[in-house]
Amino acid sequence: MVLGAGAAGMMCAIRAGAGGRSVLVVDHAKAPGEKIRISGGGRCNFTNVHASPANYISGNRHFAKSALARYTPRDFLAMVEKHRIAWHEKTLGQLFCDDSAKDIVRMLLDEMLAVGVDLQLQRQIGVVEKTEDGFRVAIDGETVEAGALVVATGGKSIPKMGATGLAYRIAEQFGVAMTETRPALVPLTLDPSMLEKLSPLSGVSVDAQVRHGKTTFREALLFTHRGLSGPSILQISSYWKEGDDIALTLEPSCDVLALLKEARRQNGRQAVQTVLGEILPRRLAQFLADQHRLRGPLADYSDKALGAVAAAVQDWTIRPAGSEGYRTAEVTLGGVDTSMLDSRTMQAKALPGLYFIGECVDVTGWLGGYNFQWAWASGHVCGEALAV
């Protein structure tokens, strides 16, 4: 029995069914693969060609190696191509459907149907018990028994889509340790005074390098009415902790101080915001000039004054107040402690027949298809272990 008809659960069911097992997949949602459906702007960033253990955060950075090596992005792509789903590669190795994320859901449903998987939706999961031969689960008041139980119910992220933390409760019930969980791949918020100061920038997007400690990501940054978002911020949010600063380098490929000095040399009558507007969005250029009260021509300003503007662009330290939480987080960081699981099978070491896969495990990928690849890989190796 597989609890959860998401990416990991369906992949596990496909592999176990292909291996001769009788498989029941149960989910409380009206439709399977809801996170797949909404991902990638509706086109599903279904994997990343660069996926490797280095792209994942975990209490044990070695845990994901086995699954990721045994089921690779190429393996999943082979299934996509078998079903003639058109796809394309975007920046940084991200693979998307040309048409719709629903193509991936249909593919998984077709694969489950082909191996006889029984999918039951809109079913409420109740008490879970261990029996002599396996597990007993109450489903809508009825009792169903299975030789093995796979928990693939995800984490706490996006509760409006039905995220409940059920996997964590089952882990706790059976003495499977957990690591601390928190929202990840999530926009960061700012305190009211900082928000008011940055309000003119709401909606402005800029290329940025964002750093927390030794971790750096370079992608787009978006100023919002709540704080900071965009891919670079979502990435760093998985590493950031409350009370920490992050460092922003806007337009990192440009030497802003050198640009300003050269512009002053060539045409000192230009305004600072005019020159900054050549590399930055105009609203951002105007904001920076206003913040430093640089309203005259470039010729009026010393190297020190121009250096302060350059630092504001490329050495900006900011302290977020928090994050937007599970409401908008793409994934949950932390989860079932990997020390409690066999990395080759995803089975609980202390309780044979109980498995945890996908997001509920303490393996969290970067933005860009990495979390789907973990779902496919962990689901596949689990299903393989269950095959007759």
Side-chain angles (χ1 to χ4, degrees):
M1 186 187 307
V2 179
L3 305 183
M10 289 193 282
M11 178 58 79
C12 176
I14 291 164
R15 183 65 190 91
R21 290 299 289 264
S22 172
V23 183
L24 168 65
V25 178
V26 184
D27 201 299
H28 67 275
K30 292 181 180 179
E34 284 293 83
K35 272 196 172 182
I36 298 173
R37 181 183 60 80
I38 68 166
S39 68
R43 289 190 174 178
C44 188
N45 178 193
F46 56 80
T47 191
N48 193 297
V49 298
H50 303 307
S52 75
N55 306 115
Y56 295 85
I57 305 167
S58 173
N60 177 3
R61 60 192 179 89
H62 300 292
F63 180 82
K65 286 182 177 179
S66 178
L68 292 172
R70 287 161 53 202
Y71 193 82
T72 68
R74 183 66 245 182
D75 292 322
F76 188 77
L77 190 56
M79 183 187 293
V80 170
E81 292 179 334
K82 179 182 115 177
H83 287 260
R84 298 182 179 180
I85 297 172
W87 60 276
H88 61 278
E89 181 175 342
K90 293 182 74 173
T91 58
L92 305 174
Q94 303 169 69
L95 303 190
F96 287 80
C97 296
D98 282 0
D99 184 20
S100 169
K102 294 178 182 178
D103 291 340
I104 299 295
V105 177
R106 279 192 292 267
M107 175 189 78
L108 296 169
L109 288 173
D110 288 345
E111 288 282 332
M112 287 199 297
L113 181 63
V115 295
V117 172
D118 180 7
L119 173 62
Q120 296 186 15
L121 301 170
Q122 294 184 276
R123 304 294 301 275
Q124 296 302 314
I125 299 164
V127 176
V128 178
E129 299 174 291
K130 182 74 179 74
T131 66
E132 186 176 337
D133 299 321
F135 294 85
R136 182 184 299 118
V137 181
I139 303 175
D140 285 339
E142 299 178 5
T143 298
V144 180
E145 295 194 0
L149 182 67
V150 180
V151 182
T153 54
K156 300 176 182 178
S157 57
I158 318 184
K160 71 178 182 181
M161 297 190 67
T164 63
L166 174 62
Y168 309 144
R169 294 197 293 274
I170 293 174
E172 183 180 40
Q173 176 185 342
F174 291 109
V176 179
M178 294 277 301
T179 66
E180 180 185 358
T181 58
R182 59 185 176 87
L185 299 183
V186 62
L188 299 177
T189 58
L190 300 174
D191 64 48
S193 61
M194 181 65 73
L195 270 183
E196 183 178 1
K197 178 181 176 182
L198 298 180
S199 61
L201 300 180
S202 182
V204 170
S205 179
V206 62
D207 179 29
Q209 181 174 287
V210 182
R211 186 177 73 256
H212 175 269
K214 295 181 179 180
T215 304
T216 301
F217 292 97
R218 180 179 174 179
E219 293 187 68
L221 178 150
L222 175 68
F223 294 91
T224 74
H225 65 286
R226 292 191 183 95
L228 303 173
S229 189
S232 62
I233 293 296
L234 299 187
Q235 295 279 36
I236 212 68
S237 72
S238 297
Y239 295 84
W240 175 83
K241 292 183 179 178
E242 194 164 341
D244 291 351
D245 292 334
I246 58 174
L248 314 179
T249 300
L250 311 183
E251 293 297 338
S253 59
C254 177
D255 184 334
V256 174
L257 180 56
L259 175 73
L260 290 170
K261 286 181 176 180
E262 180 61 19
R264 184 181 59 186
R265 186 186 69 79
Q266 290 190 5
N267 180 6
R269 292 176 296 177
Q270 294 181 89
V272 172
Q273 65 264 33
T274 301
V275 179
L276 291 178
E278 295 174 4
I279 60 165
L280 299 173
R282 288 184 180 179
R283 268 197 286 158
L284 179 54
Q286 185 67 56
F287 171 84
L288 292 169
D290 289 345
Q291 286 296 305
H292 290 271
R293 300 178 181 177
L294 302 178
R295 299 185 178 89
L298 276 167
D300 290 351
Y301 300 107
S302 65
D303 287 355
K304 183 177 180 181
L306 297 184
V309 176
V313 176
Q314 301 198 302
D315 190 16
W316 188 353
T317 299
I318 195 166
R319 179 168 295 180
S323 80
E324 291 192 5
Y326 291 114
R327 181 180 64 84
T328 58
E330 295 199 14
V331 291
T332 302
L333 190 76
V336 175
D337 192 330
T338 56
S339 68
M340 308 295 286
L341 305 177
D342 185 327
S343 64
R344 298 163 299 173
T345 64
M346 309 303 294
Q347 182 172 228
K349 293 176 181 177
L351 191 59
L354 179 63
Y355 301 77
F356 293 88
I357 59 176
E359 186 185 346
C360 70
V361 178
D362 177 30
V363 176
T364 304
W366 292 358
L367 184 71
Y370 297 102
N371 286 294
F372 273 131
Q373 186 56 37
W374 170 246
W376 312 135
S378 62
H380 180 85
V381 298
C382 178
E384 193 172 57
L386 289 164
V388 174

